[in-house]
Amino acid sequence: MSEETPSKTPLSPELLAKMDAYWRAANYLSVGQIYLKDNPLLERPLTLDDVKPRLLGHWGTTPGLNFLYVHWNRLIRERGLNMLYIIGPGHGGPGLVANTYLEGSYSEIYPHIEQNKDGLKRLFRQFSWPYGIPSHVAPETPGSIHEGGELGYSLVHAYGAAFDNPNLIVACVVGDGEAETGPLATSWHSNKFLNPLTDGAVLPILHLNGYKIANPTILARIPHAELESLMRGYGYEPFTLEGDDPAVMHQQAAAVFDTMLDRIAAIQKAARKDGSTARPAWPMLIMRTPKGWTGPKFVDGKPVEGTWRAHQVPLDQIFEKPEHLRQLDEWMRSYKPEELFDEKGRFREDLADIAPKGRLRMGMNAHANGGLLLQPLKVPNFRDFAVKIEGRGAADAESTRILGHLLHAVMQANADQKNFRVFGPDETASNRLGDVITGTGKAWMAKTLPVDENLSETGRVMEVLSEHMCQGWLEGYLLTGRHGFFNCYEAFIHIIDSMANQHAKWLKVTREIPWRKPIASLNYLLSSLVWRQDHNGFSHQDPGFIDHLMNKKADVVRIYLTPDANTLLSVADHCLRSKNYINLIVAGKQPAPQWLTIDEAVAHCTTGLGVWKWASNDDGGPEVVMACCGDVPTLETLAAVSLLRAKVPDLRIRVVNVVDLMALQPTSEHPHGLPDEDFDQLFPVGIPVVFAFHGYPWLIHRLTYRRHNHDNIHVRGYKEEGTTTTPFDMCVLNNIDRFQLALDAIKRVPRLAPQADAARQWYSEAIQRHRLYVAENGDDLPEIKNWRWSKGVSTN
Ligand SMILES: Cc1ncc(C[n+]2csc(CCOP(=O)(O)OP(=O)(O)O)c2C)c(N)n1
Ligand SMILES: [Mg+2]
């Protein structure tokens, strides 16, 4: 124990004995889940028939997690705490299942897992069993907001849950291996964004059991003073709990937790009653206990407890080695099940009694089932922010700036219910959403200087240069029943690919769990797009997050590419109101022509794609369809259409714009998919389609390969050609420019075959002229830069 901790013994002998028995029960149930399919009370000596054929689970982390659960239970009861428990080492799933069973939550949610011998047998059998429950904490686990398979996100989720929940305490176990991950390492800094006045508290426990799967952990092998300094450097007040003698440890843990919770109460009082605005040093605990604590000490002559060998299944050759079976029997009996469960298999009442009741049980905490608490977001009428259209493409606007006005209004409308935040990795202003910043300020508890702008302890825009933190905070915030919006540079959103995967998995599974209520959608705005990286160049050019999300379940993911500000407003309104989706919006921030009135935008977004009649001359049926998706491809397509009008005035052209990428798929693949008959109307069979796409071109093929006209769809998109160059040159480099698109159309329409050679010549000359001009002048040709739909374009 650190010197900070008063050496008192807060637990009466009776309570200590009960807490230890409770812990033994949780450990017993955890081992039972990993190993047994029968004989749950060990009423007879274990035989091979009682043991599961495949032993799948993780023991090592579990006793430590169980130990903490018992102690949280005491604190919840004694202090009436509203507590959420997030475990980083989510592979300790059996522990959370065991504890939620012991406190009764599990049987209430899953009535077939009764509080008797049959229930125990089912509880054991279902774990890591086909069509049973996963081995990690997962959506199925009561009290969890955490899909625990992928390590690194516990602490950031904990903070996300604590924001705007002033009465919540989020106890968060960080695995010492998990602590080595990038996302976790940066998450400690979340304390610079947590305001004790308006937010809840996070209680981090660094679970220093010394090992990962097969290696020691870094933090366990540096001098203790160095580790404490690290935590101090992160701005925490570290406490330490170390040992392996249960009786001593219970007493010491109770003392240290009392002190830590007193510290939290004092910090909150200073902020809430005494008006302190200082950034507090929140307490955190370094808990140094053996990995696989209370498990087999030696197996086959090798040390297991307190080593990496305890990570998964310490006795893994039960069927090959009788000694392992005997050791398992002995290990399980060491918890004295006969003292813990009555003859019917029911957890003894005097022990069950030390758990909290009702909603205070961690398995029943409503914050862990955020949909229960979700209040609808108040979204002001987005039409009020619409851009006036006086001539197609006649005036420019910065689409995201217009969206910023709406987001600001959303923030204002929900100021009282404090359930909306905007997240971004230092790019919110750069993405031109500045309005939302000036309205509410940016959260910041660290030092400020006169030069700073809009930093505030109560700011609701969260900016930190860590995509991991933005994503993790937002997930924690959404999972506990609130709303949010993440804006990011398009290229760097890939940093959180894996976190998005995990969230998508969570959403997919929760859809099938009736007691998990829908939560608000995770909304991304990607801006600073591939086509307009005028000053950042190649490193900032990657539209592949679209492809990444496309791999996810159709009922979870929605992807929108808006061609202008009014479509962006309409899409954003829809996304902000939606539930249980991941919505990806891709929208440019640069001044760009505006095409649709707000009414047209709403109609267009409702179908997701459609003919732009005003840009088409396809009476009698099109000879070519010029399709586009994304703002720059739309501009280039319309410019190509004007070129074609001038060059081949009688060519019947149809312009189709796609906002909702999912609409391209058949209905069988995605609920937004356009029925085949409608698709065939838009893209008639046999008619060539020149498709200009914002992202990687093959995605359009992937989406449309089952469509009747697929063989005639020819896609242009980003093909990894880029550098720091002019906007139009980017298009030229990737062959998505207006000249290329016009040439494509001419080449694809059979009756224009005689003109193809001349068109190729014209194309080469145009590109040559462009290249010479940009090389010489460092800017695009005036007729390119100043091109307007209404004015047409020169046809040289
Ligand atoms: C991001 C990630 N990388 C690797 C793994 C594979 N993995 C599962 S458990 C584990 C070791 C975890 O060690 P620690 O965080 O110390 O947990 P504990 O010791 O409490 O089991 C690893 C590497 C993972 N689950 N997630
Ligand atoms: Mg460890």
Side-chain angles (χ1 to χ4, degrees):
M1 281 172 69
S2 76
E3 294 160 7
E4 298 272 356
T5 313
S7 59
K8 51 185 180 174
T9 48
L11 304 178
S12 68
E14 190 199 1
L15 181 57
L16 190 151
K18 282 187 182 171
M19 286 175 68
D20 189 61
Y22 201 111
W23 181 44
R24 282 189 277 125
N27 287 340
Y28 178 82
L29 296 187
S30 303
V31 183
Q33 289 175 75
I34 295 172
Y35 284 96
L36 299 190
K37 61 182 167 72
D38 206 350
N39 195 9
L41 289 171
L42 297 189
E43 289 165 308
R44 46 191 163 74
L46 277 182
T47 69
L48 291 180
D49 284 345
D50 300 326
V51 180
K52 296 182 181 184
R54 300 177 316 129
L55 300 174
L56 308 160
H58 298 81
W59 163 247
T61 194
T62 305
L65 303 177
N66 289 345
F67 181 84
L68 290 168
Y69 208 105
V70 178
H71 282 268
W72 304 147
N73 278 348
R74 175 184 78 95
L75 293 163
I76 292 169
R77 283 203 57 158
E78 287 185 5
R79 297 175 183 239
L81 301 179
N82 177 4
M83 200 174 217
L84 205 60
Y85 186 24
I86 295 183
I87 58 164
H91 43 282
L96 277 267
V97 171
N99 273 291
T100 50
Y101 177 79
L102 292 174
E103 72 188 14
S105 313
Y106 207 90
S107 305
E108 280 170 42
I109 293 174
Y110 302 109
H112 64 291
I113 308 291
E114 302 152 304
Q115 296 281 334
N116 57 30
K117 206 191 303 177
D118 282 346
L120 275 181
K121 185 171 155 178
R122 287 194 198 106
L123 180 82
F124 286 4
R125 196 183 148 90
Q126 66 170 4
F127 176 81
S128 268
W129 191 266
Y131 311 108
I133 62 166
S135 69
H136 296 68
V137 284
E140 291 89 340
T141 319
S144 177
I145 59 163
H146 198 64
E147 168 62 69
E150 187 168 288
L151 302 171
Y153 316 133
S154 57
L155 195 55
V156 74
H157 281 168
Y159 276 95
F163 293 136
D164 296 319
N165 266 329
N167 299 320
L168 188 67
I169 295 192
V170 189
C172 175
V173 175
V174 175
D176 51 354
E178 181 190 22
E180 294 173 11
T181 65
L184 199 294
T186 196
S187 298
W188 298 106
H189 283 307
S190 300
N191 58 3
K192 283 78 180 184
F193 299 84
L194 187 90
N195 184 344
L197 180 67
T198 49
D199 300 323
V202 173
L203 182 57
I205 316 292
L206 179 61
H207 192 191
L208 211 68
N209 60 18
Y211 296 91
K212 302 172 289 219
I213 298 177
N215 283 290
T217 60
I218 296 170
L219 297 184
R221 296 293 178 94
I222 60 174
H224 192 75
E226 212 171 292
L227 176 57
E228 279 199 342
S229 299
L230 178 67
M231 289 300 135
R232 284 217 171 79
Y234 273 125
Y236 293 89
E237 182 189 9
F239 290 81
T240 300
L241 174 68
E242 179 173 2
D244 59 6
D245 177 344
V248 177
M249 287 294 281
H250 283 303
Q251 213 50 281
Q252 291 190 346
V256 82
F257 288 134
D258 279 346
T259 307
M260 292 173 80
L261 282 162
D262 290 347
R263 286 282 207 284
I264 289 174
I267 288 169
Q268 292 182 333
K269 177 174 170 290
R272 296 174 191 184
K273 297 239 162 65
D274 311 335
S276 167
T277 54
R279 175 168 66 88
W282 294 92
M284 65 78 58
L285 183 73
I286 300 167
M287 183 167 111
R288 212 184 269 270
T289 53
K291 189 152 184 168
W293 194 11
T294 73
K297 294 207 174 341
F298 285 86
V299 175
D300 298 332
K302 295 200 173 107
V304 172
E305 189 196 36
T307 79
W308 48 271
R309 289 196 190 89
H311 181 69
Q312 287 188 356
V313 179
L315 299 157
D316 59 354
Q317 288 173 288
I318 304 277
F319 291 95
E320 293 81 20
K321 296 185 177 165
E323 174 59 12
H324 281 208
L325 181 65
R326 195 200 59 74
Q327 259 187 289
L328 174 61
D329 190 282
E330 181 184 289
W331 173 19
M332 293 196 71
R333 286 183 201 282
S334 75
Y335 298 119
K336 307 198 179 102
E338 65 287 356
E339 292 178 9
L340 309 173
F341 302 93
D342 65 19
E343 65 287 354
K344 294 198 171 114
R346 201 181 170 81
F347 189 37
R348 260 181 40 195
E349 215 167 306
D350 58 326
L351 299 179
D353 200 42
I354 67 168
K357 306 284 172 252
R359 281 266 169 229
L360 289 183
R361 289 171 296 177
M362 287 181 283
M364 280 293 173
N365 191 305
H367 295 281
N369 187 3
L372 286 175
L373 301 174
L374 186 68
Q375 295 298 316
L377 191 69
K378 296 175 193 158
V379 185
N381 188 352
F382 65 94
R383 291 166 186 267
D384 295 347
F385 305 92
V387 172
K388 278 217 163 48
I389 303 295
E390 287 159 350
R392 304 288 178 191
D396 286 350
E398 295 158 313
S399 295
T400 54
R401 197 178 294 285
I402 308 293
L403 175 66
H405 303 329
L406 173 65
L407 291 178
H408 170 62
V410 173
M411 200 62 103
Q412 299 297 111
N414 296 278
D416 288 348
Q417 54 184 34
K418 285 205 172 93
N419 62 348
F420 180 64
R421 291 196 185 221
V422 171
F423 302 80
D426 189 33
E427 293 156 4
T428 309
S430 165
N431 285 333
R432 318 236 164 130
L433 301 173
D435 221 22
V436 73
I437 295 177
T438 43
T440 83
K442 294 177 282 187
W444 189 257
M445 293 296 294
K447 186 172 161 182
T448 55
L449 294 175
V451 68
D452 297 330
E453 284 180 357
N454 300 315
L455 298 182
S456 154
E457 289 112 21
T458 53
R460 305 193 63 74
V461 175
M462 312 290 295
E463 292 223 288
V464 61
L465 208 176
S466 162
E467 286 76 7
H468 290 121
M469 282 168 81
C470 293
Q471 171 85 17
W473 283 342
L474 174 56
E475 288 176 4
Y477 202 64
L478 298 174
L479 287 161
T480 46
R482 282 77 65 73
H483 305 262
F485 197 86
F486 182 0
N487 75 96
C488 191
Y489 283 2
E490 182 183 49
F492 304 139
I493 193 69
H494 272 305
I495 291 170
I496 56 77
D497 276 3
S498 206
M499 296 178 81
N501 283 346
Q502 298 301 322
H503 193 71
K505 287 176 196 296
W506 178 278
L507 292 178
K508 187 240 176 206
V509 176
T510 53
R511 282 169 175 272
E512 289 143 29
I513 301 177
W515 60 270
R516 287 255 177 218
K517 300 299 169 206
I519 59 170
S521 297
L522 196 164
N523 297 312
Y524 292 106
L525 170 76
L526 301 190
S527 199
S528 301
L529 305 177
V530 51
W531 301 108
R532 295 302 308 270
Q533 288 301 333
D534 308 8
H535 64 300
N536 285 314
F538 200 34
S539 63
H540 286 50
Q541 292 162 353
D542 191 316
F545 192 64
I546 304 173
D547 303 64
H548 178 70
L549 278 190
M550 273 304 308
N551 295 329
K552 305 294 140 208
K553 277 282 175 192
D555 47 7
V556 170
V557 172
R558 303 284 180 273
I559 300 174
Y560 304 96
L561 294 100
T562 51
D564 67 3
N566 286 341
T567 47
L568 176 58
L569 286 172
S570 172
V571 163
D573 173 74
H574 175 75
C575 294
L576 287 168
R577 294 169 192 276
S578 70
K579 289 184 189 170
N580 265 3
Y581 295 139
I582 294 180
N583 293 311
L584 176 65
I585 309 173
V586 181
K589 67 180 184 183
Q590 303 290 353
Q594 301 296 308
W595 310 111
L596 301 187
T597 67
I598 194 70
D599 287 335
E600 289 168 339
V602 172
H604 187 46
C605 294
T606 306
T607 45
L609 80 176
V611 177
W612 281 8
K613 287 219 166 59
W614 52 268
S616 309
N617 60 326
D618 59 345
D619 285 351
E623 292 173 281
V624 62
V625 177
M626 303 293 285
C628 46
C629 180
D631 51 8
V632 167
T634 300
L635 172 67
E636 288 307 310
T637 295
L638 291 168
V641 169
S642 347
L643 286 170
L644 288 167
R645 291 268 170 81
K647 286 210 91 53
V648 201
D650 64 341
L651 179 65
R652 296 194 309 278
I653 306 170
R654 170 178 292 175
V655 174
V656 172
N657 182 268
V658 180
V659 180
D660 178 351
L661 205 51
M662 301 302 186
L664 290 175
Q665 296 177 92
T667 332
S668 57
E669 297 299 310
H670 196 279
H672 287 192
L674 204 63
D676 268 340
E677 314 81 78
D678 298 354
F679 193 92
D680 292 347
Q681 287 279 322
L682 281 179
F683 303 99
V685 177
I687 301 298
V689 179
V690 176
F691 199 129
F693 178 48
H694 170 86
Y696 294 104
W698 22 96
L699 180 61
I700 299 300
H701 289 297
R702 189 174 144 192
L703 294 171
T704 57
Y705 85 100
R706 285 197 184 161
R707 299 297 194 175
H708 300 133
N709 200 34
H710 177 247
D711 284 356
N712 290 306
I713 298 180
H714 309 284
V715 189
R716 297 286 183 183
Y718 182 65
K719 49 183 194 185
E720 287 290 326
E721 289 295 339
T723 175
T724 310
T725 186
T726 68
F728 185 68
D729 198 44
M730 269 302 293
C731 297
V732 172
L733 290 174
N734 289 280
N735 298 106
I736 196 177
D737 61 275
R738 55 199 68 181
F739 299 111
Q740 179 72 61
L741 298 175
L743 175 63
D744 285 350
I746 292 171
K747 284 193 330 198
R748 299 287 176 195
V749 174
R751 83 167 163 94
L752 299 182
Q755 298 181 34
D757 282 344
R760 273 194 199 95
Q761 182 63 26
W762 159 81
Y763 167 79
S764 304
E765 284 164 13
I767 295 299
Q768 187 66 8
R769 201 169 108 75
H770 152 77
R771 288 226 165 97
L772 288 173
Y773 188 90
V774 294
E776 182 66 22
N777 298 279
D779 203 356
D780 285 323
L781 281 157
E783 67 258 39
I784 302 282
K785 224 172 134 175
N786 304 324
W787 175 84
R788 293 282 163 192
W789 168 254
S790 45
K791 288 190 207 147
V793 71
S794 96
T795 57
N796 54 342

